[in-house]
Amino acid sequence: MRALARIAPPLLLATALVCATVAPAGAATPPAKVPEAVGYGGAVASVDADATAAGIEVLRKGGNAVDAAVATAAALGVTEPYSAGIGGGGYFVHYDAATGRVSTLDGRETASRTADESLFLADGKPLAFADAVTSGLSVGVPGTSATWEKALRLWGSRSLGEVLKPAERIAEQGFTVDQTFRDQTAGNEARFRDFPESSRLFLPGGGLPVVGSTLRNPDLAATYRQLGREGTEALYRGPIGADIVQALQHPPVDPASGRVVRPGRVDAADLAAYQVVRRQPTHVPYRDYDVYGIAPSSSGGTTTGEALGILEDVGAPGADATGYYHHFLEASRIAFADRNRWVGDPGFSDVPARELLSPRFAAARACLISPDHALTSPLAPGDPRHPVSCAGAGPAVTETYEGPSTTHLTVADRWGNVVSYTLTIEQTGGSGITVPGRGFLLNNELTDFSFTPNTPGVPDPNLPGPGKRPRSSISPTIVLRDGEPLLAAGSPGGATIITTVLQVLLGRLDRGLSLEQAIAAPRASQRNSAATQAEPAFLALPERARLEALGHVFAVTPEIGAATGVERLADGRWVAAAEPVRRGGGAAAVVRPSR
């Protein structure tokens, strides 16, 4: 694991925004990442070694899981800036060892109070998706820093300023560029070049950052210091917020680029009105476990929970791997059919969350699953308020697109507190707009709204609205057994987050896999579509032919998700687990490998 403290290289760019080594001869070796760690005193798992180390540092200094989660998230804002940061939002799930209670925070971004259903229409027609993404229109009021502050106030033991220190240090002194960071930059290079601030920060010296070079972000370090001193008032009612509004309302695009970047609607009043919402978690019993997740505005908890309820009703397929995969894919298909129809921001729609998770509805939907053949998509939704066995309720509703980026972290401490936290700026690279002088990208989260109603004549709960939160698939999850934490997990991946988390849970709880094995297992994602997305390793399984004989159709995709998790072992040790390969591999660590 690379050290948090690092001496900066001598090359100083004239702008003082970024310092980076650019010659491979002087490059450092990117650090090796450890996908599993077992030990005592607490555990942290994230996609990045520096971020995991930041969380472990806080735990070693006596901080609790919430303190360490915020420290890890802030560090990811430095080293994973295309997936997370204070320009975005997320969902935070917390288990309190003192009370035995699971609580959640909805830190989702919100639309401007002036937004309406025509937000992404021009002359009555929906904007091209790429044009909507790279624009101020796509930027919602960020919720991340408010989530940090509220979580620390409710359950933390350290101040915001204290837990931001490791991330400040990484931003100031730099982190080592790896191949994943370079590849993600390359995917954004064309639009970053059109925004001078993004270009200076992420294209040092005018080119892609060199693997092994050190990338610094002193602007973000200064922004974190200001947040630490002044609290989030500096963002929601102060100078950081003023800079955000200026950037989204007057996008800082190079006039010579020829790129048309539409201004956004969020203003200072929208920032000042922002609230993190403390919601009741979703809860479903599954086998001998209690599974808790995030309620709407995310669809993660309801959709994962509904699928688990369906599988509980169907019954475990035993040792038959083909039957397991068949049930998993069919339960996912059905749950997504219902999710697409019913889930949106509960402040604007009457979302039947409780009914979606009811055993009665699960039984009515489970009867659709046949052991002999696969269902055909698009499948019609059921009516959770008036369930009828094996029957749909109206036409099928298609899935809206969600960006595959985002990042997830999981943390546990020596007292038994646990955090599962997913944060995002939506697309890889968000809107592409870096706030001048502040060192962070703005989200494009509002493109998670439906631009127009998905199905004519069917109410769409995910259309834009004033102050509304777009539907998400983020699924941070905590599993209890006999009232005690067993494991926590989550993943990035857009709508595939739900199927990834479901597959990890099933692998660990039903199939006898270790947490690391469940995370590493080949993945498939069925979301009420004609073809199931599947990784090459999944398509290489011997069960593929038998699944195709049942009627399953597969489409290859390079990778699905990038999960992390923690688990409490019977002897009191913690397991931290992350991806061994996906997204460049993850980083797991514990405070002490042994007593």
Side-chain angles (χ1 to χ4, degrees):
M1 186 174 295
R2 58 194 164 197
L4 285 170
R6 185 178 289 113
I7 302 300
L11 180 60
L12 181 63
L13 296 183
T15 62
L17 261 176
V18 181
C19 295
T21 57
V22 294
T29 302
K33 295 178 178 180
V34 179
E36 183 185 53
V38 183
Y40 301 92
V44 181
S46 81
V47 74
D48 179 75
D50 278 339
T52 294
I56 291 292
E57 177 183 335
V58 169
L59 291 177
R60 284 181 176 150
K61 290 181 177 179
N64 66 21
V66 172
D67 306 322
V70 174
T72 304
L76 287 168
V78 182
T79 61
E80 283 277 298
Y82 307 149
S83 301
I86 58 173
Y91 298 89
F92 192 102
V93 180
H94 172 251
Y95 170 81
D96 189 329
T99 64
R101 186 173 301 156
V102 177
S103 302
T104 72
L105 297 177
D106 179 339
R108 182 65 157 161
E109 302 88 340
T110 59
S112 168
R113 71 195 186 286
T114 65
D116 57 23
E117 293 185 0
S118 67
L119 182 64
F120 290 111
L121 302 181
D123 299 323
K125 297 180 180 179
L127 295 175
F129 190 76
D131 292 341
V133 166
T134 308
S135 77
L137 277 178
S138 72
V139 180
V141 179
T144 291
S145 61
T147 302
W148 296 349
E149 192 169 66
K150 187 155 190 171
L152 290 170
R153 186 171 69 249
L154 290 170
W155 309 298
S157 67
R158 300 291 188 268
S159 69
L160 179 61
E162 186 174 352
V163 299
L164 289 179
K165 290 297 182 185
E168 288 175 29
R169 189 166 66 243
I170 300 168
E172 195 72 60
Q173 299 181 349
F175 66 94
T176 303
V177 172
D178 61 14
Q179 189 63 50
T180 299
F181 187 88
R182 179 182 169 88
D183 290 346
Q184 290 178 341
T185 308
N188 281 284
E189 182 177 7
R191 62 183 188 142
F192 282 176
R193 287 196 183 281
D194 293 343
F195 295 97
E197 291 294 314
S198 298
S199 180
R200 279 195 290 268
L201 183 54
F202 300 120
L203 301 172
L208 293 174
V210 176
V211 173
S213 66
T214 301
L215 192 71
R216 297 180 60 233
N217 190 344
D219 281 347
L220 183 56
T223 300
Y224 279 169
R225 278 193 293 273
Q226 186 170 9
L227 283 172
R229 287 192 312 267
E230 302 173 20
T232 61
E233 286 287 303
L235 193 150
Y236 293 99
R237 291 178 173 82
I240 301 173
D243 291 342
I244 289 172
V245 170
Q246 175 67 21
L248 69 90
Q249 290 190 352
H250 305 279
V253 63
D254 181 356
S257 70
R259 182 184 289 272
V260 176
V261 181
R262 291 171 172 81
R265 297 190 185 182
V266 168
D267 62 17
D270 295 317
L271 287 174
Y274 184 81
Q275 295 290 325
V276 174
V277 180
R278 188 174 180 181
R279 300 192 188 278
Q280 287 295 316
T282 61
H283 168 236
V284 292
Y286 181 72
R287 315 291 191 229
D288 297 325
Y289 311 99
D290 290 284
V291 181
Y292 291 87
I294 188 73
S297 58
S298 179
S299 63
T302 54
T303 311
T304 303
E306 181 186 343
L308 288 171
I310 291 169
L311 291 167
E312 176 92 357
D313 193 87
V314 171
D320 180 5
T322 301
Y324 156 72
Y325 287 123
H326 176 59
H327 286 178
F328 157 65
L329 295 173
E330 296 293 78
S332 299
R333 185 194 311 270
I334 295 166
F336 263 89
D338 300 327
R339 172 254 197 199
N340 295 344
R341 168 63 182 87
W342 298 107
V343 180
D345 183 342
F348 290 77
S349 302
D350 185 12
V351 180
R354 181 175 58 84
E355 292 87 350
L356 285 166
L357 297 174
S358 70
R360 182 183 174 205
F361 188 57
R365 301 299 274 162
C367 76
L368 291 167
I369 298 177
S370 166
D372 303 320
H373 62 83
L375 292 162
T376 301
S377 288
L379 184 71
D383 185 343
R385 294 189 177 92
H386 306 285
V388 177
S389 292
C390 303
V397 178
T398 58
E399 175 192 0
T400 54
Y401 177 77
E402 291 181 49
S405 191
T406 305
T407 194
H408 181 80
L409 62 96
T410 39
V411 181
D413 64 30
R414 60 184 175 180
W415 299 284
N417 303 299
V418 180
V419 171
S420 186
Y421 180 27
T422 313
L423 58 161
T424 181
I425 61 171
E426 183 54 11
Q427 300 289 124
T428 303
S431 65
I433 301 171
T434 297
V435 181
R438 294 298 181 178
F440 63 88
L441 286 157
L442 291 174
N443 70 82
N444 66 290
E445 218 65 61
L446 300 188
T447 57
D448 274 355
F449 283 125
S450 304
F451 288 14
T452 58
N454 270 350
T455 304
V458 177
D460 189 334
N462 193 41
L463 291 169
K468 191 174 182 179
R469 297 167 193 245
R471 181 174 61 205
S472 172
S473 296
I474 286 175
S475 309
T477 302
I478 293 178
V479 179
L480 306 185
R481 182 170 56 192
D482 299 326
E484 299 290 332
L486 173 65
L487 65 88
S491 177
T496 70
I497 293 172
I498 292 168
T499 56
T500 295
V501 171
L502 178 61
Q503 196 170 350
V504 169
L505 294 178
L506 296 176
R508 179 67 193 92
L509 303 180
D510 281 353
R511 305 192 71 209
L513 303 179
S514 70
L515 182 58
E516 184 191 18
Q517 289 169 336
I519 287 172
R523 290 193 189 125
S525 180
Q526 169 51 243
R527 306 188 305 281
N528 197 26
S529 55
T532 295
Q533 288 185 313
E535 295 176 331
F538 186 94
L539 296 178
L541 294 172
E543 292 79 18
R544 174 187 177 176
R546 293 190 284 274
L547 290 168
E548 289 177 331
L550 291 173
H552 290 281
V553 177
F554 296 103
V556 67
T557 190
E559 67 179 28
I560 297 172
T564 72
V566 297
E567 180 178 350
R568 188 71 177 266
L569 300 180
D571 62 7
R573 291 181 298 165
W574 286 103
V575 176
E579 298 283 358
V581 176
R582 294 181 185 95
R583 204 151 135 184
V590 293
V591 173
R592 296 189 312 278
S594 63
R595 288 191 187 278

